[in-house]
Amino acid sequence: MTSLRRAPARDYVNETFDSTRWQAFAPRNGDILVNTPPKAGTTWTQNILALLLTGDPDVAPGLSMQSPWIDIVFRPLDEVMARIEAQRHRRHVKSHTPFDGLPIWSGMRYLAVYRHPLDIHFSFRRHNANMAADIPEKRLCPEDGEAAFRLFVAGDHEYAASLLSIAQHYISARALDGDPSILRLHYADMTRDLPGAMARIAAHIGVTHSPDVMERLVAAATFDNMKANANRFSPSAGQGFWKSDAGFFDSATSNKWEGRLTEAQIATYQARLADLVPDPDMRAWLEWGDRP
């Protein structure tokens, strides 16, 4: 059985998502929530979960339908909840809402994934350029690189990929440090050691596979395999949402800002991040993870 351990402290409502939609969610024991800032490794982690829960490297397509983004306002809430309720396998869903805007239930597992904010910024710009649909968040990422960077650093929007929204999300997760239901991961650590990251996730959700099966699942979870099989691994694949389904998987690289930002721009970013996340150790982990 599940029970509410902590109610949301506030609501996050805007043109793109609405955290109050979680009031319609009926949790089940064993449900899993992937909760990240946008472009921090959300889809990658959802696909890893699908692989681990099925034990099948050829996991069926339809990620955005099987593991939906609860908060997004573009899909009718009753349809989303009906689809989730009809599932009889172990369920996992997605959110970009900071943890202080979400209910926390006993019996559920939570995965929080973070990435260097500057990598998120450049990945988000590429993400918007590949988007065929015209949605409100596009205005928060103009094509002009300098304007987009200024809006990323100084913007006060609490969604899409502003530095403010990333810091809010991260601080809300760090406030839950020590809660055994929440596993906090970093994109850079996952790219450095994918087998180790998948082993941590498997242990957190209570799933075990033989070494041979895990080896095949890890191979299926690599960037190259997901890009080559975007029809199975890209959200909304085949629905015309993206100019290129494979283009959803951009490069899986870090340090995207090198050679693209001036020293003055980097200094502006660093000063703003220090204001938003004053603790230097917390800032270091947000940017670099557990690297030596």
Side-chain angles (χ1 to χ4, degrees), residues 8-280:
R10 58 160 294 187
D11 297 330
Y12 290 85
V13 181
N14 48 60
E15 296 171 295
T16 300
F17 67 74
D18 179 354
S19 66
T20 67
R21 287 165 62 100
W22 280 95
Q23 296 171 11
F25 181 70
R28 296 177 191 165
N29 193 52
D31 283 347
I32 306 164
L33 172 62
V34 177
N35 188 23
T36 79
K39 307 311 297 177
T42 323
T43 299
W44 190 13
T45 308
Q46 287 177 282
N47 282 320
I48 288 172
L49 281 174
L51 291 164
L52 289 172
L53 290 172
T54 62
D56 181 6
D58 298 318
V59 64
L63 175 66
S64 60
M65 303 301 283
Q66 292 294 317
S67 177
W69 180 5
I70 300 291
D71 325 68
I72 195 167
V73 300
F74 306 132
R75 295 190 187 274
L77 181 59
D78 57 348
E79 292 181 12
V80 174
M81 293 305 164
R83 188 166 63 250
I84 296 172
E85 189 62 28
Q87 294 179 7
R88 293 294 170 257
H89 53 76
R90 190 172 177 188
R91 308 180 304 180
H92 59 104
V93 292
K94 158 189 170 180
S95 178
H96 290 314
T97 297
F99 279 94
D100 61 348
L102 293 174
I104 303 295
W105 287 285
S106 64
M108 283 189 62
R109 288 295 187 187
Y110 300 84
L111 299 176
V113 187
Y114 296 94
R115 189 181 188 184
H116 196 298
L118 289 178
D119 282 324
I120 287 179
H121 170 63
F122 283 101
S123 183
F124 189 69
R125 285 171 58 182
R126 177 66 182 86
H127 172 84
N128 274 270
N130 187 43
M131 194 182 298
D134 186 18
I135 64 174
E137 70 179 35
K138 276 195 166 186
R139 65 180 171 76
L140 298 173
C141 193
E143 292 184 9
D144 178 78
E146 185 173 348
F149 181 76
R150 286 198 304 269
L151 195 55
F152 162 71
V153 172
D156 61 359
H157 45 289
E158 295 182 322
Y159 69 111
S162 69
L163 190 54
L164 171 64
S165 68
I166 295 166
Q168 283 180 324
H169 199 292
Y170 176 57
I171 289 171
S172 76
R174 291 300 300 254
L176 297 170
D177 278 359
D179 186 326
S181 70
I182 299 171
L183 175 63
R184 178 164 45 85
L185 301 162
H186 198 283
Y187 189 97
D189 297 325
M190 294 170 68
T191 58
R192 282 190 290 265
D193 182 11
L194 181 56
M198 289 183 65
R200 290 183 67 193
I201 294 171
H204 185 65
I205 65 174
V207 169
T208 58
H209 295 291
S210 70
D212 288 346
V213 170
M214 280 296 291
E215 184 177 356
R216 292 195 293 273
L217 297 179
V218 169
T222 61
F223 173 81
D224 288 343
N225 185 66
M226 288 193 297
K227 189 177 183 72
N229 294 279
N231 62 311
R232 286 195 289 118
F233 291 111
S234 174
S236 301
Q239 299 178 30
F241 192 82
W242 310 107
K243 297 175 183 176
S244 165
D245 289 341
F248 179 86
F249 302 103
D250 180 22
S251 65
T253 58
S254 297
N255 295 37
K256 293 176 183 289
W257 65 89
E258 292 182 345
R260 302 174 72 178
L261 294 179
T262 66
E263 290 184 5
Q265 286 175 316
I266 293 173
T268 298
Y269 153 78
Q270 290 173 335
R272 172 69 164 156
L273 182 61
D275 285 341
L276 294 170
V277 185
D279 185 290

